[in-house]
Structure formats: C-alpha cells, structure tokens
Amino acid sequence: MQSVRPDNTDPIPLRKSQQGVGTILIRFIGLLAAATVVLVLIWNQ
C-alpha cells in the first residue's frame, strides 16, 4: 500500500487562534452567567 503525501512540505496553515480563544471565552462566560441565573431562580423559590 502506497502512502499519499502532499507535493509541498509547507505546514498546514492554522486559523487565528486569538479569535477562537475569544469566541470560546465569550461562550463560556455566557453559559456561566445563564447557569448562575438559573441556580439563583431555583434557590429563591
């Protein structure tokens, strides 16, 4: 079985990690805030 290799040996270009980290951070903070609101509403009943 023959292995398939690309013609050039350039590394695979990665997308900007800063944007990805920012998006993940915003989602995490949003989910954390939503969970906090739900827990506060349950606790106050």
Side-chain angles (χ1 to χ4, degrees):
M1 190 171 188
Q2 187 177 12
S3 63
V4 178
R5 294 175 185 255
D7 294 336
N8 57 0
T9 57
D10 294 339
I12 298 171
L14 299 174
R15 64 177 187 170
K16 294 181 180 178
S17 60
Q18 192 67 28
Q19 184 179 4
V21 169
T23 304
I24 292 172
L25 193 61
I26 289 171
R27 286 182 184 177
F28 177 75
I29 292 173
L31 287 173
L32 187 64
T36 303
V37 169
V38 169
L39 287 173
V40 167
L41 289 174
I42 291 172
W43 184 264
N44 285 335
Q45 287 184 354

